[in-house]
Amino acid sequence: MSFAAMMLIGLCLDAALGWPAAVYARIGHPVTWLGKLVSSCERRWNHGPRDRRLRMGAVTLSVCVIAVILPARLVQAALPDGAVGLILTGVLAWPLIAVRSMHDHVRHVALPLAAGDLTAARQAVAMIVGRDPGQLDDAGVARAATESLAENTSDGIVAPIFWGCVAGLPGIAAYKAINTLDSMIGHRSDRYEAFGKFAARMDDVVNWAPARLTALLFALTSGRAAGRALRVVLADARHHRSPNAGWPEAAMAGALNVRLSGPRLYGDVIAEEPFVNAAAPDPSPSDVARGLALYRRSMVLLAAGLAVIALA
């Protein structure tokens, strides 16, 4: 079975349909199912001395990954060979790719921001970032939305497709388990620093290659700005707070010729982060729309690459 063809089918289904609200209302979503398992493990095991929290965090990581790999392997082995099996695996991969929802979430920020409705834009950006949107001006909202678009293109689309191509349904399922664990418990806080340490480190490992591939996709689809995008990546990606997120963010910043990252407010705490592409201006509302256009071109290139690999 061609795993690349499987992922191409899943990508196309999600781009066309997203995850329909009627389906979500009836059965939820695989990530929310996994989230319940993570929450249950965290409630049971995230207490006691730091050493115990570290151990039980590693156990939680193992339990959640095994819980998705085993059924994925069984299902993949049980499906028939040929076109029918290929289509069915593509359908099963579909909900684990976030092409449509990523675009729609950022578009819901871009539209009111362009119309001058800062309140609605802040409400929309609060759905995709962790910082306090009430303190953001137009440029801050535009920067937050553009950063989220860049980073989540890697985490939510390129990485699951990459691991699906490597290992089929077990690969994409294991990746989503690790990424969900990181988003829920991989925080540097008193509650999660020890318990989520292994999940956060594993998330860094599995996103290493996809983050750099995403940066390359953005550069290749940025037209005459490709050289600048690559220069910003080489100059600034390694200075980012994340070992991976800086790559797609730097490529996006260079492609649009805006500055991203920089200081941000989480609750009452200001995180003093360096800017990416610091000499460029802050993004404007129109730059968010330009970022979405770059995202769409990158997804077309990604689909074309999957098609070439599948045919080969």
Side-chain angles (χ1 to χ4, degrees), residues 97-190:
I97 306 169
V99 179
R100 183 68 173 264
S101 64
M102 185 69 258
H103 184 277
D104 289 350
H105 274 107
V106 176
R107 183 172 177 269
H108 291 158
V109 179
L111 291 177
L113 195 61
D117 188 347
L118 181 58
T119 299
R122 283 172 171 170
Q123 292 172 346
V125 85
M127 302 296 292
I128 55 175
V129 299
R131 72 197 73 169
D132 181 7
Q135 304 297 318
L136 299 177
D137 57 10
D138 282 13
V141 171
R143 188 164 65 244
T146 306
E147 290 168 7
S148 181
L149 176 63
E151 181 175 356
N152 287 311
T153 299
S154 177
D155 290 358
I157 302 158
V158 176
I161 287 175
F162 175 87
W163 287 108
C165 288
V166 169
L169 288 178
I172 189 173
Y175 171 77
K176 292 302 289 188
I178 294 166
N179 190 242
T180 301
L181 281 156
D182 179 64
S183 67
M184 293 182 67
I185 65 173
H187 309 299
R188 293 178 181 175
S189 64
D190 291 342

Side-chain angles (χ1 to χ4, degrees), residues 237-249:
R238 65 184 183 275
H239 301 307
H240 197 274
R241 65 190 179 281
S242 163
N244 295 318
W247 289 75
E249 282 190 27

Side-chain angles (χ1 to χ4, degrees), residues 27-283:
I27 66 170
H29 188 277
V31 172
T32 63
W33 308 340
L34 180 61
K36 292 178 181 178
L37 175 59
V38 176
S39 295
S40 176
C41 292
E42 195 271 337
R43 285 194 304 269
R44 290 172 180 269
W45 295 333
N46 188 16
H47 56 81
R50 186 176 188 277
D51 287 349
R52 181 186 187 278
R53 290 174 183 245
L54 277 170
R55 290 195 303 273
M56 299 316 295
V59 171
T60 297
L61 173 65
S62 301
V63 166
C64 292
V65 171
I66 292 170
V68 299
I69 284 181
L70 288 180
R73 284 179 63 90
L74 290 172
V75 169
Q76 184 167 284
L79 291 175
D81 293 330
V84 173
L86 184 61
I87 292 170
L88 289 175
T89 54
V91 170
L92 291 170
W94 162 28
L96 303 180
I97 306 169
V99 179
R100 183 68 173 264
S101 64
M102 185 69 258
H103 184 277
D104 289 350
H105 274 107
V106 176
R107 183 172 177 269
H108 291 158
V109 179
L111 291 177
L113 195 61
D117 188 347
L118 181 58
T119 299
R122 283 172 171 170
Q123 292 172 346
V125 85
M127 302 296 292
I128 55 175
V129 299
R131 72 197 73 169
D132 181 7
Q135 304 297 318
L136 299 177
D137 57 10
D138 282 13
V141 171
R143 188 164 65 244
T146 306
E147 290 168 7
S148 181
L149 176 63
E151 181 175 356
N152 287 311
T153 299
S154 177
D155 290 358
I157 302 158
V158 176
I161 287 175
F162 175 87
W163 287 108
C165 288
V166 169
L169 288 178
I172 189 173
Y175 171 77
K176 292 302 289 188
I178 294 166
N179 190 242
T180 301
L181 281 156
D182 179 64
S183 67
M184 293 182 67
I185 65 173
H187 309 299
R188 293 178 181 175
S189 64
D190 291 342
R191 178 173 179 175
Y192 294 118
E193 191 277 330
F195 186 73
K197 192 177 188 67
F198 283 100
R201 294 294 177 267
M202 184 59 70
D203 188 72
D204 289 341
V205 171
V206 297
N207 277 298
W208 190 92
R212 286 145 182 84
L213 178 58
T214 305
L216 182 60
L217 282 172
F218 285 155
L220 291 175
T221 53
S222 59
R224 289 179 292 181
R228 182 175 61 220
L230 291 173
R231 287 194 297 273
V232 174
V233 167
L234 293 175
D236 291 348
R238 65 184 183 275
H239 301 307
H240 197 274
R241 65 190 179 281
S242 163
N244 295 318
W247 289 75
E249 282 190 27
M252 178 74 77
L256 302 180
N257 195 30
V258 298
R259 68 176 183 175
L260 298 176
S261 194
R264 70 272 318 282
L265 183 66
Y266 295 99
D268 297 326
V269 179
I270 297 177
E272 294 290 347
E273 305 289 348
F275 279 105
V276 171
N277 199 25
D282 285 320

